[in-house]
Amino acid sequence: FDAAAATRTLHRRVDIGIAVDTEDGLFVPALRNADVLDAAGVRAAVNRIRDQVRDRTIPAEELKGYTISLSNFGVYAGRYATPVVVPPCVAIVAAGKLRHELVPVMGGVETHRLLPLSLTFDHRAATGGEAARFLRALLDDLFYAIAHAVKARLTYDEKSHRDLLDELNERLVDKYFVNFSVFESMPDVWAIDQ
């Protein structure tokens, strides 16, 4: 967002700031071109960023230029947060503290680990509707990435569609602590054990 011209710029690439807390303070290096990285590429880039911050070898130009950032404040405390957005960053997605919570599931109650997510954004750069649709897309992408990984492990013999869904749900709950009903009933909370 350009405050002087009162205009916003839509960028062709996705550069994400990754908040890294250190004894010397917070560093937010950019994970460049995140939109074209696969899971292994993201993991390698995050490891590289973390190591460069730890070793203080990260170039100064890598500490700027991102338009959205990620924070994991929940490592320390708190469920939700309202981080301050500092331009040119226009949004921050923050993960709160994992917790156990009772969740209604198909006529019963189960205990699941839930990871609350907060989204703070600059209203000059995005409307509330755009931010809500972004959060929905983020949750959908997280859900489908995990579901796809689990589904790829399922065996497709003579099982019915319902049996496959039940098995997928069971594996999501057992392995990833994700449940379809939790996801559908609580769109602002992602149930995943990292």
Side-chain angles (χ1 to χ4, degrees):
F1 180 78
D2 181 350
T7 60
R8 67 180 187 173
T9 302
L10 299 178
H11 298 273
R12 293 189 180 271
R13 67 183 206 189
V14 177
D15 294 340
I16 300 173
I18 306 292
V20 181
D21 189 43
T22 72
E23 291 179 6
D24 297 325
L26 183 68
F27 288 76
V28 187
L31 189 148
R32 304 283 181 207
N33 299 305
D35 55 320
V36 297
L37 297 175
D38 62 6
V42 169
R43 171 50 47 206
V46 168
N47 288 344
R48 177 185 52 77
I49 286 169
R50 183 198 60 223
D51 293 345
Q52 287 179 324
V53 168
R54 182 192 64 224
D55 300 338
R56 301 300 188 266
T57 59
I58 192 147
E61 59 272 6
E62 292 303 311
L63 296 171
K64 58 186 176 185
Y66 52 87
T67 56
I68 188 167
S69 64
L70 304 177
S71 172
N72 188 13
F73 72 91
V75 169
Y76 302 106
R79 287 188 183 182
Y80 297 97
T82 308
V84 176
V85 177
V86 179
C89 184
V90 297
I92 299 173
V93 176
K97 187 171 183 63
L98 282 166
R99 68 185 188 279
H100 286 90
E101 190 167 297
L102 294 175
V103 177
V105 177
M106 297 188 158
V109 177
E110 297 178 0
T111 301
H112 291 268
R113 290 183 70 179
L114 301 180
L115 177 65
L117 294 179
S118 299
L119 172 64
T120 302
F121 63 97
D122 185 339
H123 264 286
R124 297 172 303 169
T127 67
E130 289 169 326
R133 286 187 292 278
F134 167 78
L135 185 57
R136 171 86 271 156
L138 173 67
L139 292 171
D140 287 346
D141 285 351
L142 287 170
F143 177 76
Y144 290 118
I146 292 170
H148 178 73
V150 173
K151 186 177 178 184
R153 295 182 183 96
L154 294 176
T155 56
Y156 292 94
D157 48 16
E158 298 296 317
K159 296 181 179 181
S160 70
H161 180 70
R162 182 71 240 165
D163 289 341
L164 284 174
L165 286 177
D166 288 345
E167 184 174 343
L168 173 59
N169 197 42
E170 182 179 324
R171 289 184 187 214
L172 283 168
V173 170
D174 290 345
K175 185 169 175 92
Y176 298 99
F177 300 98
V178 174
N179 186 283
F180 287 118
S181 61
V182 173
F183 179 78
E184 291 169 357
S185 65
M186 302 181 76
D188 62 333
V189 177
W190 183 245
I192 181 169
D193 180 11
Q194 293 190 28

